[in-house]
Amino acid sequence: MKQALLSSSILASTILMPATAIAEVTGNIGAASNYLWRGVTQTQDAVAVQGGLDFEHESGLYLGTWASNVDFGDDTSYEIDFYAGYAGSIGDEFGYDISYLYYAYPDSESSVDFGELTAAISWRWFSLSYSQVVNADSDVASEPLDNTDMSYIDAGVSFPLSETLSISAHYGYSSGDVVTAWFDTSNYADYSISLNKETDFGAISFMVSDTDLKGDDPKVVLGYNYSFGL
């Protein structure tokens, strides 16, 4: 799950943008030795192949889609996400982002699609975000559990070590009925540290990640991503 049913207001505002306004369309492809979502593997610790498309307008509006293979131990083989949001900055160091993200699993026999709203702020090297599930299909969690009761707090820091090398650390906290349905606990934390290298041929990352879920072990993930203009 990475991160939609786009609201009509967002679509309308995008369509009505002046033709002279600047917009950018980009694509990305990549692979990772493991696909982790909030510290938990989505591929049974196997390799993931991933890619997406993004549209970004100079006003701060953006939308996009992203896909990856998954393995939940059932018939579900891939995930496709749709998202839209608005991002901006105040001054040179303070940023903000409000977005909606819809997680879809088209070939799943279960009804497990869901959507989240996220509000994020950043200052220099630090970032903080809060996500809340706002809509979910019936199999995300079963009664008496609430299938929209899941929140996530994400705190991160990223320091540049050189023009092309950076180190990042992350802490996340998941809670709610959906967490109980998936992991048999009302909350859990995930944390990671990663080294990221930008090259002329894409970005390479090396990450160590873990959670405090019972029986979970630390995971090492090697990733590659290449972005390009369209």
Side-chain angles (χ1 to χ4, degrees):
M1 306 172 191
K2 183 187 180 270
Q3 309 273 277
L5 301 177
L6 304 180
S7 70
S8 58
S9 62
I10 292 177
L11 285 176
S13 62
T14 302
I15 293 170
L16 294 174
M17 293 294 178
T20 56
I22 298 174
E24 182 180 18
V25 179
T26 59
N28 64 87
I29 56 173
S33 59
N34 196 348
Y35 172 19
L36 301 183
W37 185 77
R38 297 175 184 175
V40 178
T41 181
Q42 306 296 291
T43 53
Q44 302 286 332
D45 294 325
V47 170
V49 178
Q50 303 162 337
L53 293 171
D54 293 282
F55 170 88
E56 183 177 355
H57 192 269
E58 66 173 357
S59 66
L61 285 173
Y62 64 88
L63 57 89
T65 184
W66 181 89
S68 175
N69 60 291
V70 298
D71 183 357
F72 300 147
D74 57 15
D75 56 295
T76 310
S77 65
Y78 74 100
E79 166 194 341
I80 183 166
D81 303 336
F82 303 93
Y83 48 89
Y86 180 82
S89 61
I90 300 174
D92 295 330
E93 297 182 338
F94 181 79
Y96 57 89
D97 189 346
I98 300 173
S99 62
Y100 174 81
L101 173 59
Y102 185 76
Y103 303 88
Y105 305 90
D107 65 348
S108 176
E109 293 184 358
S110 302
S111 298
V112 292
D113 297 359
F114 67 99
E116 277 187 327
L117 277 175
T118 298
I121 57 173
S122 62
W123 179 74
R124 300 188 68 184
W125 302 311
F126 303 92
S127 62
L128 180 67
S129 68
Y130 175 82
S131 301
Q132 176 67 50
V133 172
V134 292
N135 60 285
D137 287 350
S138 57
D139 294 330
V140 170
S142 302
E143 293 185 355
L145 298 175
D146 184 347
N147 65 354
T148 61
D149 181 27
M150 182 169 70
S151 62
Y152 186 65
I153 299 172
D154 184 345
V157 59
S158 180
F159 293 102
L161 301 177
S162 70
E163 290 186 358
T164 60
L165 187 66
S166 65
I167 187 168
S168 303
H170 148 87
Y171 174 85
Y173 182 79
S174 300
S175 62
D177 283 357
V178 177
V179 176
T180 301
W182 290 353
F183 304 111
D184 197 29
T185 182
S186 61
N187 58 77
Y188 78 95
D190 69 280
Y191 28 87
S192 66
I193 186 168
S194 62
L195 192 64
N196 313 287
K197 173 68 175 180
E198 296 287 343
T199 75
D200 293 336
F201 308 101
I204 301 169
S205 63
F206 177 84
M207 178 175 68
V208 179
S209 177
D210 199 6
T211 75
D212 61 3
L213 289 168
K214 185 177 180 180
D216 196 23
D217 296 320
K219 296 176 175 60
V220 175
V221 180
L222 181 63
Y224 170 78
N225 184 270
Y226 178 75
S227 298
F228 50 92
L230 295 173

